[in-house]
Amino acid sequence: MTATDLAALIRTRAGQEPVRLGLILGSGLGHLAQAVEGVAIPYSDLPGFPHAGVSGHNPNLVIGTLEGVRVAVFGGRAHYYEKGDPAAMRLPLTVLRDLGATALIATNAAGSLRPDIRPGDLMLLSDHINFSGLNPLIGEPTDARFVPMTDAHDPDLRARLRDAATKTGIPLPEGVYAWYSGPSFETPAEIRAIRILGGDAVGMSTVPEVILARFLGLRVAAISTVTNMAAGLSDEKISHEHTKAMAPLGAAKLEQVLRQFLRDLAVTDTAV
Ligand code: HPA
């Protein structure tokens, strides 16, 4: 099925009203999808959407209203490390655009390299480093592949998110996210290298989605919930179990910030 067909299918189930904003929920952050008043469509009903590959993800697309804004919430994402395809989210994000969205907020779980950003804290991505060297646009034949990545993390969306965080009293420091392919975690030497290169947090997702979103003309911003200090920076053992156990700590803060962001967005009639 093409993205156009999928968007039509989704509209028959969720209604014709255009979606304003997409939200991708990372590991352990799926709770927010349940707060949306609307229709949940299992990815398995949407050919080409990712399978439920990673525990801690809830594979539904939820279309509905959250804090007065029509949203499409992705209760899980495909990661590069699942099948080796960096473009695995291209179809879902194309569908999002075809449903009318002009912006995307991506969330993820990440390890922190900064002593002032601790497990349970949030970090807004000011920029990213593609430490994997992979690109979801390799093979795209059109000149549209030459996507500018200056201000890829949209300054206006970031300002709105920072403003929402200030209103809720939740700290939202900004930092640079480095994409590591996974699925193994990084070595301490890799973390030291990422620090030298200017990374503040590290994770296994989001960067391909940011590239794809810009390619599709969606404005994009992303927030990490820090689940651990990166390898070699604390005595704590790093594991996926630990990530899932720690994610709810930041998830509660993330939910507050996103709800405030949406409430503010509901009363503005600018493009997003
Ligand atoms: N590294 C990569 N991905 C992660 C980490 C990490 O330390 N924590 C949560 N996701």
Side-chain angles (χ1 to χ4, degrees), residues 116-163:
D116 61 318
I117 304 180
R118 312 293 307 174
D121 290 347
L122 304 180
M123 188 189 91
L124 177 62
L125 277 63
S126 58
D127 203 344
H128 69 239
I129 298 171
N130 186 346
F131 199 67
S132 76
L134 300 158
N135 198 295
L137 298 177
I138 289 173
E140 164 61 34
T142 69
D143 277 358
R145 63 189 160 190
F146 299 114
V147 177
M149 291 297 288
T150 312
D151 284 340
H153 296 262
D154 189 80
D156 172 63
L157 283 181
R158 280 162 48 210
R160 288 167 183 267
L161 287 163
R162 285 195 309 265
D163 189 46

Side-chain angles (χ1 to χ4, degrees), residues 26-29 106-112 117-125 177 201-202 222-228 243 246-255:
S27 295
L29 307 174
T107 65
N108 60 51
S112 173
I117 304 180
R118 312 293 307 174
D121 290 347
L122 304 180
M123 188 189 91
L124 177 62
L125 277 63
Y177 174 94
V202 64
I223 298 180
S224 292
T225 56
V226 170
T227 54
N228 56 280
T243 297
M246 291 300 287
L249 254 172
K253 295 180 189 169
L254 183 66
E255 177 167 344

Side-chain angles (χ1 to χ4, degrees), residues 22-209:
L23 264 177
I24 298 178
L25 303 179
S27 295
L29 307 174
H31 168 76
L32 199 57
Q34 284 140 39
V36 177
E37 291 161 43
V39 174
I41 305 173
Y43 285 177
S44 52
D45 289 359
L46 302 170
F49 269 56
H51 296 290
V54 184
S55 58
H57 287 249
N58 177 13
N60 288 303
L61 176 65
V62 183
I63 311 271
T65 306
L66 187 59
E67 299 293 354
V69 178
R70 177 95 165 152
V71 292
V73 180
F74 294 82
R77 55 156 61 84
H79 303 81
Y80 168 72
Y81 61 71
E82 290 170 59
K83 295 210 173 121
D85 178 10
M89 286 299 285
R90 179 164 173 165
L91 182 71
L93 291 176
T94 307
V95 170
L96 174 67
R97 188 208 46 198
D98 289 354
L99 290 171
T102 54
L104 171 71
I105 308 289
T107 65
N108 60 51
S112 173
L113 283 74
R114 284 235 315 253
D116 61 318
I117 304 180
R118 312 293 307 174
D121 290 347
L122 304 180
M123 188 189 91
L124 177 62
L125 277 63
S126 58
D127 203 344
H128 69 239
I129 298 171
N130 186 346
F131 199 67
S132 76
L134 300 158
N135 198 295
L137 298 177
I138 289 173
E140 164 61 34
T142 69
D143 277 358
R145 63 189 160 190
F146 299 114
V147 177
M149 291 297 288
T150 312
D151 284 340
H153 296 262
D154 189 80
D156 172 63
L157 283 181
R158 280 162 48 210
R160 288 167 183 267
L161 287 163
R162 285 195 309 265
D163 189 46
T166 304
K167 283 184 187 161
T168 55
I170 292 167
L172 188 61
E174 286 198 312
V176 173
Y177 174 94
W179 175 32
Y180 185 79
S181 75
S184 59
F185 285 98
E186 306 75 28
T187 65
E190 285 162 346
I191 292 301
R192 288 194 297 276
I194 290 170
R195 188 75 199 115
I196 290 166
L197 293 174
D200 298 301
V202 64
M204 303 177 193
S205 68
T206 305
V207 168
E209 293 144 29

